[in-house]
Amino acid sequence: MQVILAKTAGFCFGVRKAVEQVYEQIENREKDGKELPIYTYGPIIHNEEVVRDLEQRGVQVLNTKEELAALEKGIVIIRAHGVGREIYDLLDREGITVVDATCPFVKKIHRLVREQEALGRHIMITGNKNHPEVEAIRSCCQKEAIILETAAEAENFTLDSSIPVSIVSQTTFNYNKFEELVEIISKKGYDIIVLNTICNATQERQKEAAEIAREADAMIVIGGRHSSNTQKLYEICKKECKNTYYIQTLVDLDLDVLKSMGSVGITAGASTPNNIIEEVHTNVRRDEF
Ligand code: F3S
């Protein structure tokens, strides 16, 4: 049996790096023997198992600015979405060490909006105004950025049409929606620069899964039952390969079913931790030759 593990299975690059940085901090603390508390501002990833594991290793999740403000000492890890200026300011004091795990693609947006504003352009962000990533991008702007999520909002916003506009997007915004909003804004006669900052980690994961499923005799999709991106991966794979199995962990997998298969593909949703993927991979490979 040939086993093909998708390169894009599981965490995207930014989230993987952020999670790794938390574990690194735990290791450093153990080496140093210092008892500095470690915190993440918000859960580092939307995966209960990972958050629980971190909690057991002494990493606490802080959810509010008030909790941050009350800290006297410790290491605070900023997650991949990034945070606004206000949070950096709040953490800039004695006793607090900041580990910035903001995804480099998100950091790039922060840099872009500052550069564009310095050129005298007004910033427009396509995305969900309540999402922490969008809040952080907004806080990098000197002037109040315009945030658009729907076609109606793009039709209705008001800004002097002589002001040049630069458009960026939340990294996980839907590309078709982004195009639709950009088209509406261009029709309104603005001088616009479009900076497509959508991250293609999700599309790449889906594309690779479809390619593997097309070739494989069986396909395994690993992820939480309620994870919508895993459900989507499953649908994509099922379309290409009728023997597609949706599992949460190795326990759900009937290894006997795979014995007659010539090739088996494995992929996983964005919040599936590496150890679960590895466990499945190792066990399926026992029958590989
Ligand atoms: Fe992930 Fe960074 Fe893209 S967090 S989805 S790699 S923007």
Side-chain angles (χ1 to χ4, degrees):
M1 186 206 291
Q2 188 200 3
V3 182
I4 313 149
L5 174 64
K7 290 188 202 73
T8 53
F11 299 169
C12 64
F13 158 78
V15 168
R16 178 172 299 142
K17 263 189 85 198
V19 172
E20 279 170 6
Q21 290 197 58
V22 184
Y23 283 100
E24 258 167 43
Q25 291 304 321
I26 299 171
E27 256 178 51
N28 291 348
R29 181 175 65 178
E30 281 164 10
K31 266 191 233 145
D32 296 351
K34 286 189 192 144
E35 280 308 301
L36 260 193
I38 303 175
Y39 306 95
T40 62
Y41 184 48
I44 197 81
I45 179 174
H46 293 295
N47 179 290
E48 284 167 28
E49 202 179 319
V50 174
V51 174
R52 207 176 314 126
D53 181 55
L54 290 172
E55 261 166 18
Q56 278 162 4
R57 291 164 192 256
V59 178
Q60 298 170 52
V61 179
L62 300 176
N63 290 304
T64 63
K65 284 179 209 158
E66 290 69 30
E67 286 175 322
L68 276 188
L71 283 188
E72 282 176 8
K73 60 171 187 179
I75 298 166
V76 179
I77 301 161
I78 292 170
R79 58 187 173 171
H81 296 317
V83 291
R85 219 173 14 207
E86 193 191 350
I87 302 295
Y88 285 114
D89 290 348
L90 201 57
L91 293 171
D92 185 14
R93 62 201 148 94
E94 215 176 301
I96 308 287
T97 305
V98 177
V99 174
D100 192 350
T102 308
C103 174
F105 300 136
V106 175
K107 279 258 182 220
K108 184 179 163 195
I109 306 178
H110 297 179
R111 201 178 61 238
L112 283 174
V113 298
R114 287 194 188 106
E115 285 169 5
Q116 293 298 309
E117 259 200 333
L119 295 170
R121 308 187 69 90
H122 201 94
I123 303 300
M124 200 173 267
I125 308 165
T126 57
N128 175 340
K129 63 175 177 303
N130 298 318
H131 192 284
E133 182 192 320
V134 174
E135 285 173 3
I137 300 169
R138 168 193 233 165
S139 85
C140 293
C141 305
Q142 299 287 339
K143 295 207 182 93
E144 193 51 53
I146 295 170
I147 302 171
L148 304 173
E149 190 172 8
T150 64
E153 285 166 0
E155 299 281 4
N156 296 328
F157 77 89
T158 48
L159 182 74
D160 185 338
S161 60
S162 65
I163 300 175
V165 171
S166 292
I167 309 174
V168 296
S169 178
Q170 183 179 342
T171 54
T172 48
F173 201 59
N174 178 291
Y175 181 69
N176 295 336
K177 193 96 210 161
F178 178 68
E179 273 200 317
E180 185 193 354
L181 301 189
V182 167
E183 202 182 314
I184 296 171
I185 298 154
S186 16
K187 278 192 187 140
K188 291 174 94 170
Y190 285 97
D191 163 9
I192 58 170
I193 290 181
V194 181
L195 301 154
N196 176 2
T197 52
I198 294 174
C199 173
N200 52 10
T202 308
Q203 287 99 303
E204 276 176 9
R205 188 184 302 107
Q206 292 175 352
K207 195 168 145 244
E208 191 192 16
E211 280 163 11
I212 295 174
R214 205 167 298 139
E215 302 298 325
D217 297 323
M219 189 74 193
I220 301 165
V221 181
I222 317 165
R225 213 192 327 251
H226 304 295
S227 154
S228 60
N229 81 83
T230 311
Q231 285 164 12
K232 179 90 194 170
L233 264 187
Y234 172 74
E235 279 164 30
I236 291 168
C237 293
K238 184 82 182 169
K239 226 186 248 171
E240 303 293 343
C241 172
K242 64 177 187 337
N243 300 316
T244 295
Y245 304 99
Y246 190 151
I247 63 167
Q248 298 206 74
T249 63
L250 181 66
V251 177
D252 305 327
L253 185 64
D254 182 355
L255 288 164
D256 288 339
V257 175
L258 302 177
K259 287 218 165 88
S260 57
M261 306 287 175
S263 60
V264 176
I266 302 172
T267 188
S271 49
T272 308
N274 219 21
N275 60 328
I276 295 184
I277 303 172
E278 269 313 310
E279 196 184 18
V280 173
H281 188 206
T282 311
N283 279 277
V284 175
R285 280 185 66 180
R286 291 225 165 105
D287 290 323
E288 193 179 29
F289 57 81

